[in-house]
Amino acid sequence: MAERMIVPEPIVNITDLDLYYGKTRALKRINLDVSKKKITSFIGPSGCGKSTLIRCLNRMNDLIENVRIEGTVKIDGQDIYAPTVDATELRKKVGMVFQKPNPFPKSIYENVVYGLRIQGIHKKSILDELCEKALKKAALWNEVMDRLHANALDLSGGQQQRICIARTIAIEPEIVLLDEPCSALDPTATAKIEDMLVELKQDYTVIIVTHNMQQAARISDYTGFFMLGELVEFDVTTEMFTNPREKQTEDYITGRFG
């Protein structure tokens, strides 16, 4: 089990986190801090708890029956599982992008401003400005600026995923969670999203679950390696990939298993 690493400017503090699906313990004593405005990657074989862990950060696991959580998760020093915390408000602060692009069957414009409308912003000039800003940050503005009222479902897979990222960042969260956002995309679309994520960390804390170790090595500042619900190792990415401390990490990174 990994020792807790001290990171600069932690925004997320996870302490002694256990998660159970019924009687099955899916996460085991996770202790981890995530640094503000950095990219942190979670790697490891399928079913090792990576996605379950990021879903703890915006309380998506609340929606699953028989889930029980022990330990604490703090964001900006606040225990997000405290009874006073509103999960809907939390999800404005902690946005999420899923594995499969899931744009709504609406126009590109309406996809991006969807969350803003829910927040009660209806003035067209403000929506126009925030839509353009989000699409620029998602590296998509130049591709869609002339067809904002076209159906988002007509875009390519990579563009659809960037629309979902634009929709997420339009409401200005502090943290963006991405659960294998490139797994359904070709290498060209993947490269665009990777470049965009590196840009996004100027404004957001980015946490990404990825099966692609090269991706973690290319874009992340910190990497956590998970096995069977445990955090085996957490370190600066370059250090983990060149000089892993644990044999399990080395075996996974060199392709001996997983």
Side-chain angles (χ1 to χ4, degrees):
M1 204 175 289
E3 285 180 29
R4 190 178 204 111
M5 180 187 177
I6 296 169
V7 299
E9 285 196 88
I11 185 171
V12 178
N13 309 98
I14 301 168
T15 304
D16 293 339
L17 181 69
D18 288 306
L19 180 139
Y20 296 84
Y21 293 117
K23 291 181 179 173
T24 305
R25 191 177 174 202
L27 293 175
K28 304 169 187 173
R29 282 287 139 125
I30 305 294
N31 286 283
L32 173 68
D33 294 328
V34 174
S35 204
K36 191 174 188 175
K37 293 188 179 175
K38 301 287 184 193
I39 299 178
T40 299
S41 288
F42 295 158
I43 63 171
S46 293
C48 67
K50 311 180 294 289
S51 296
T52 299
L53 179 59
I54 66 164
R55 285 164 177 268
C56 290
L57 302 181
N58 66 349
R59 290 185 43 179
M60 288 291 279
N61 292 316
D62 290 15
L63 308 173
I64 301 169
E65 272 186 54
N66 295 326
V67 165
R68 188 172 95 254
I69 287 175
E70 296 172 1
T72 57
V73 179
K74 291 183 178 178
I75 293 177
D76 287 329
Q78 179 185 43
D79 180 352
I80 65 169
Y81 285 90
T84 51
V85 171
D86 178 340
T88 306
E89 287 300 312
L90 172 70
R91 289 177 197 135
K92 289 179 190 171
K93 189 177 188 172
V94 186
M96 183 144 188
V97 177
F98 297 94
Q99 183 170 358
K100 193 170 181 292
N102 60 341
F104 303 132
K106 297 171 179 280
S107 70
I108 293 166
Y109 180 89
E110 286 301 332
N111 265 274
V112 178
V113 303
Y114 181 82
L116 298 166
R117 288 196 191 278
I118 288 176
Q119 288 185 5
I121 300 169
H122 297 295
K123 192 173 178 187
K124 187 174 183 301
S125 59
I126 295 174
L127 291 176
D128 288 354
E129 183 187 332
L130 294 174
C131 177
E132 180 175 340
K133 185 178 171 189
L135 286 168
K136 281 179 174 171
K137 283 185 176 177
L140 195 56
W141 175 250
N142 291 342
E143 294 170 41
V144 301
M145 58 193 280
D146 300 327
R147 49 186 179 131
L148 292 178
H149 300 290
N151 193 321
L153 297 178
D154 293 337
L155 297 172
S156 70
Q159 289 172 325
Q160 286 188 19
Q161 192 61 296
R162 280 181 284 150
I163 281 286
C164 295
I165 292 169
R167 187 174 69 199
T168 300
I169 60 180
I171 58 170
E172 292 292 329
E174 281 187 53
I175 298 171
V176 180
L177 310 173
L178 302 110
D179 192 356
E180 300 205 36
C182 303
S183 65
L185 305 180
D186 63 49
T188 307
T190 296
K192 283 187 177 176
I193 286 181
E194 288 180 4
D195 290 345
M196 178 198 61
L197 292 177
V198 171
E199 290 285 313
L200 282 185
K201 74 175 180 181
Q202 294 174 28
D203 300 304
Y204 309 97
T205 301
V206 176
I207 302 173
I208 179 169
V209 166
T210 179
H211 258 114
N212 183 331
M213 281 183 288
Q214 289 77 21
Q215 182 171 71
R218 281 192 297 265
I219 69 169
S220 59
D221 301 286
Y222 296 92
T223 298
F225 168 58
F226 291 82
M227 268 287 288
L228 302 172
E230 290 188 16
L231 177 60
V232 176
E233 187 165 343
F234 183 78
D235 208 339
V236 173
T237 298
T238 47
E239 189 66 21
M240 182 179 287
F241 279 92
T242 55
N243 190 24
R245 290 190 302 270
E246 303 294 331
K247 185 168 189 320
Q248 273 183 309
T249 313
E250 186 180 347
D251 287 350
Y252 184 71
I253 286 170
T254 56
R256 284 186 207 137
F257 76 91

